[in-house]
Amino acid sequence: MKMNFRSGAICGIVLAASVAAASAQSNVRATIEATNTKFGAALAAGKPADLAALYTTDAMAFPPGSDIVRGRDAIQKMWQGVIDSGVKSAELTTTEVDSQGTVAHEVGNYAMKDGAGKVLDRGKYVVIWKRDGAAWRIHRDIWNSSMPAAR
Amino acid sequence: MKMNFRSGAICGIVLAASVAAASAQSNVRATIEATNTKFGAALAAGKPADLAALYTTDAMAFPPGSDIVRGRDAIQKMWQGVIDSGVKSAELTTTEVDSQGTVAHEVGNYAMKDGAGKVLDRGKYVVIWKRDGAAWRIHRDIWNSSMPAAR
């Protein structure tokens, strides 16, 4: 009887853990998508410091055509450069989020547009997110264009 | 006394779990680096099917300048194209591995060379790995060049 009770309790715990894990995945995705909305708003507002604040303090960005960018100050300068180049909006479309504890990876598509809505670049990205209290922050950020390279 | 024993036992379990986790991280990194060595050997041998076998069956690759490549058959064709373009070797240098259970992410640098050892491209990559039994396979694979874009 004691064993049965224990087995039942363990089953209950395992089932509760599975339900909790699925719910956690869904919450993580919602939080990441909400953060991406903030990202789009900060870019549209031309506020690179607000963009940098969405990253971890020891984040790395991997922009095409240049070396690795490390830390929020450098990441802020990188986004300032993107804004200065004429990008007025970024559409981020999440296609996959998989979280394990305090780490998650996201796969998505992006489109960068100018003030007239013309697509300057479109491509795909992979972001490694880290949980920071109730927030999730961008920890590793890599992307590349899906448009044919200039010849 | 019972509480003390329990606390001690729980402490022991937590400590053992921490040591096991650190050891697991180190083992995962070693397995990933060994798999990257196989990757380099398969590329040098001009065997794109061997490269594709290092990926999960539902893997995605994100090559610069083109759309997402899905599944082993398409990934094999992608690497055939790279080999046909004159790439004879790839040096992969892992700079970070962080694993959580059956998922890990790797950050690294690459250099692609021709038969004479000339660097055709160098850049950085992020790979999401998935555990498959004793092996780890490439599940999401994105990279971009650190060389200035052609104008």
Side-chain angles (χ1 to χ4, degrees):
Chain A
M1 187 60 190
K2 198 178 179 184
M3 280 304 287
N4 282 346
F5 168 74
R6 280 208 172 163
S7 307
I10 289 168
C11 257
I13 289 165
V14 169
L15 183 63
S18 302
V19 171
S23 171
Q25 286 279 355
S26 160
N27 287 345
V28 172
R29 183 172 181 136
T31 304
I32 285 173
E33 291 187 320
T35 307
N36 284 341
T37 300
K38 285 184 198 171
F39 188 100
L43 189 72
K47 292 185 171 174
D50 290 3
L51 288 164
L54 301 175
Y55 288 75
T56 61
T57 53
D58 57 340
M60 293 183 197
F62 305 91
S66 74
D67 286 329
I68 298 172
V69 175
R70 296 166 197 269
R72 282 184 178 163
D73 287 353
I75 286 168
Q76 179 175 335
K77 277 181 200 145
M78 176 189 81
W79 285 114
Q80 183 68 62
V82 171
I83 291 164
D84 292 347
S85 78
V87 170
K88 297 291 178 198
S89 75
E91 281 171 20
L92 305 176
T93 309
T94 302
T95 57
E96 175 179 87
V97 171
D98 187 14
S99 66
Q100 316 283 330
T102 59
V103 182
H105 79 257
E106 178 201 3
V107 177
N109 297 306
Y110 71 84
M112 300 283 184
K113 298 181 178 178
D114 68 10
K118 185 190 161 199
V119 174
L120 300 175
D121 189 22
R122 62 175 177 78
K124 55 276 181 200
Y125 63 86
V126 173
V127 169
I128 309 296
W129 294 80
K130 282 218 168 176
R131 197 170 68 197
D132 178 11
W136 283 80
R137 294 194 198 283
I138 301 168
H139 189 56
R140 303 288 178 253
D141 185 11
I142 185 165
W143 66 95
N144 65 46
S145 178
S146 295
M147 297 167 82
R151 294 279 166 187
Chain B
M1 187 60 189
K2 197 177 180 186
M3 280 305 288
N4 281 347
F5 169 72
R6 281 208 170 164
S7 307
I10 289 168
C11 255
I13 290 165
V14 169
L15 183 64
S18 302
V19 171
S23 171
Q25 286 280 354
S26 160
N27 286 345
V28 172
R29 183 173 180 135
T31 304
I32 284 174
E33 290 187 320
T35 308
N36 284 342
T37 300
K38 285 184 197 170
F39 188 100
L43 190 72
K47 292 185 171 174
D50 290 2
L51 288 164
L54 301 175
Y55 289 74
T56 60
T57 53
D58 57 342
M60 292 184 198
F62 305 91
S66 75
D67 286 329
I68 297 171
V69 175
R70 295 166 197 269
R72 282 184 178 162
D73 287 354
I75 287 168
Q76 178 175 337
K77 277 180 200 144
M78 175 189 81
W79 284 114
Q80 183 69 62
V82 171
I83 292 164
D84 291 348
S85 78
V87 171
K88 295 292 177 198
S89 74
E91 281 171 19
L92 304 177
T93 310
T94 303
T95 57
E96 175 179 270
V97 171
D98 187 14
S99 66
Q100 316 284 329
T102 58
V103 182
H105 79 258
E106 178 201 5
V107 176
N109 298 305
Y110 71 83
M112 300 282 185
K113 299 181 178 179
D114 69 9
K118 186 190 162 199
V119 173
L120 299 175
D121 188 23
R122 63 176 177 77
K124 56 278 181 199
Y125 63 86
V126 173
V127 169
I128 310 297
W129 294 80
K130 282 216 168 177
R131 196 169 68 197
D132 178 12
W136 283 79
R137 294 193 199 283
I138 302 168
H139 189 55
R140 302 288 178 255
D141 184 11
I142 185 166
W143 65 96
N144 66 45
S145 179
S146 295
M147 297 166 81
R151 294 279 166 186

